[in-house]
Amino acid sequence: MHLLALESTCDETAAAILNDRLDVLASVIASQEDLHRRFGGVVPEIASRAHVERILPVIDETLKKANLTLDDIDAVAVANTPGLAGSLLVGLVAAKTLCVARQIPLIAVNHLQAHIYACRMAAGRDVYPCVGLIVSGGHSSLYRCRTPLDFEFLGGTIDDAAGEAFDKVAAMLGLPYPGGPSIERAAALGNRKAYAFPRAFLHDDRLEFSFSGLKTAVRYAIAGPGKPIPSGSDLTPQQKADLAASFQEAVVDCLIGKAMVAVHRTGVSTLCVGGGVAANARFRERITEESARRKIDLHIAPLNLCTDNAVMGAIGVERWKAGLFEPLDLDVFPGVVRRPHGKSAATTDKK
Ligand code: KG4
Ligand code: ZN
């Protein structure tokens, strides 16, 4: 049995083919980084148009790599929540069209559940129940994951996502998009203690993140209140490195602090981390140390499965096995749908 998984939630057009034993037969990712770089962030309309151009070539290339044809595909899984509405629609329409044409079932994938499932794919074994931490450009959230499909929201950011903060601070420092890797590179030469940036809520046990105050603190460290918005061009390389290192350390402290609160509160001993920011080397080093100290079974998605990809759409195999197929009027759900425990946010409430 072969599953074609599609991913188009943000600015990566991706497809993968998996079998029911979770073997990855092929995976293709077409990144749009070059298209969005000059804007310093993802422009939704550009993203959806680029998905339209790329989705069919990406599917073709994936089939070719797997040495299969559409005749060999038994079901299509597509991420339909959360993400950019226009981007999600492209993947969903492609998936529905294939399902109608081939008379095969349609499977909905929750992109956040999929980010955690990337850890399951890398581990090659069951990692549930776990606490799931998703740190990406659009999300910084903690979930209690009883099974791959049973996902309970524990808490998340009340303003910016961690990746979003990386991207915005990079723009202030005049570093190129995407900001995460740029900040990480600059931070490698900087002093983490050069600036005492705030760590919101770090010393209480609420499961919330806030990065907007940190972002403002960086802005004021570059140019005080009332001064023009900094462009980064007036800073020396050492100042940029110190600001980047101090900012990165503050984000890492908050992410790890709250992940540990979630593990403690749920009593679950496994922690799975996914999303683009989980690619950050300092974050990986620190959370690995902290988890070892607390005897937590830590799984961080490998670098190629941290940022958006369709291999993590393998969670569609779980839905397939559970008989969770979707009607062809399935819609996209751009925002995070927070359901009570037991219900998946990937589908509508219709059934
Ligand atoms: O998961 P992802 O590819 O897309 C979303 O679903 O948002 O995450 C992209 C985000 C961007 O904000 C990017 O700056 C950040 O992940 N990112 C990083 C690193 N690599 C990517 N942040 C920190 N350090 C990195 N090495
Ligand atoms: Zn993502």
Side-chain angles (χ1 to χ4, degrees):
M1 301 288 271
H2 296 126
L3 176 75
L4 172 67
L6 302 180
E7 154 65 42
S8 69
T9 58
C10 187
D11 64 338
E12 263 94 27
T13 320
I17 298 173
L18 306 122
N19 64 20
D20 49 349
R21 291 186 307 275
L22 297 177
D23 301 315
V24 183
L25 306 187
S27 167
V28 173
I29 304 173
S31 165
Q32 300 179 8
E33 247 166 56
D34 291 349
L35 297 179
H36 300 286
R37 184 166 291 122
R38 75 189 173 101
F39 302 102
V42 177
V43 182
E45 185 61 26
I46 293 176
S48 46
R49 285 169 192 238
H51 285 306
V52 170
E53 285 168 7
R54 292 161 190 219
I55 189 98
L56 293 180
V58 164
I59 293 172
D60 281 344
E61 194 183 331
T62 311
L63 286 165
K64 215 167 163 188
K65 265 185 148 174
N67 215 6
L68 297 173
T69 71
L70 274 182
D71 290 339
D72 302 307
I73 300 300
D74 302 291
V76 182
V78 62
N80 74 323
T81 188
L84 301 171
S87 294
L88 289 165
L89 275 169
V90 178
L92 182 60
V93 169
K96 284 181 182 179
T97 309
L98 290 172
C99 291
V100 173
R102 310 303 307 169
Q103 290 293 300
I104 52 178
L106 174 66
I107 296 169
V109 165
N110 175 313
H111 180 73
L112 300 180
Q113 291 180 345
H115 266 305
I116 295 306
Y117 204 73
C119 295
R120 156 71 183 87
M121 290 301 285
R125 65 170 169 87
D126 193 11
V127 293
Y128 301 90
C130 65
V131 165
L133 170 64
I134 297 146
V135 277
S136 70
H139 306 279
S140 300
S141 352
L142 285 154
Y143 290 85
R144 181 204 287 263
C145 315
R146 292 183 175 84
T147 69
L149 304 176
D150 183 342
F151 218 55
E152 182 192 352
F153 180 76
L154 296 173
T157 183
I158 57 169
D159 40 56
D160 289 18
E164 189 181 357
F166 268 97
D167 293 335
K168 289 176 179 171
V169 166
M172 283 190 236
L173 297 178
L175 300 173
Y177 173 84
S182 301
I183 296 247
E184 180 172 351
R185 270 192 303 275
L189 306 169
N191 174 3
R192 297 191 281 262
K193 297 197 172 125
Y195 297 86
F197 287 139
R199 280 125 168 99
F201 317 142
L202 190 58
H203 300 295
D204 61 48
D205 65 356
R206 81 182 87 172
L207 286 177
E208 280 179 351
F209 302 104
S210 167
F211 298 111
S212 67
L214 171 59
K215 202 176 58 185
T216 307
V218 176
R219 190 237 183 270
Y220 286 167
I222 303 172
K227 300 259 173 62
I229 302 282
S231 68
S233 51
D234 301 335
L235 298 168
T236 65
Q238 193 56 49
Q239 281 172 318
K240 287 190 192 187
D242 289 346
L243 285 161
S246 303
F247 162 79
Q248 177 176 271
E249 202 66 7
V251 176
V252 167
D253 277 347
C254 295
L255 295 177
I256 295 177
K258 295 303 173 187
M260 296 305 146
V261 173
V263 168
H264 182 73
R265 189 173 299 172
T266 54
V268 172
S269 58
T270 302
L271 173 61
C272 289
V273 190
V277 180
N280 184 278
R282 178 68 181 156
F283 170 73
R284 295 175 86 90
E285 176 191 328
R286 291 271 321 277
I287 199 164
T288 302
E289 276 168 20
E290 191 59 28
S291 300
R293 214 169 62 76
R294 294 171 186 246
K295 302 199 170 24
I296 294 168
D297 181 22
L298 173 72
H299 299 266
I300 317 181
L303 294 189
N304 61 333
L305 297 184
C306 278
T307 45
D308 289 346
N309 64 86
V311 167
M312 64 193 193
I315 193 170
V317 172
E318 302 281 348
R319 294 185 75 86
W320 192 1
K321 288 182 177 164
L324 295 169
F325 301 117
E326 303 305 323
L328 286 171
D329 64 351
L330 177 72
D331 209 344
V332 298
F333 297 90
V336 179
V337 184
R338 290 169 189 165
R339 301 287 161 116
H341 146 65
K343 283 197 179 173
S344 153
T347 56
T348 65
D349 271 335
K350 276 191 287 181
K351 27 190 167 146

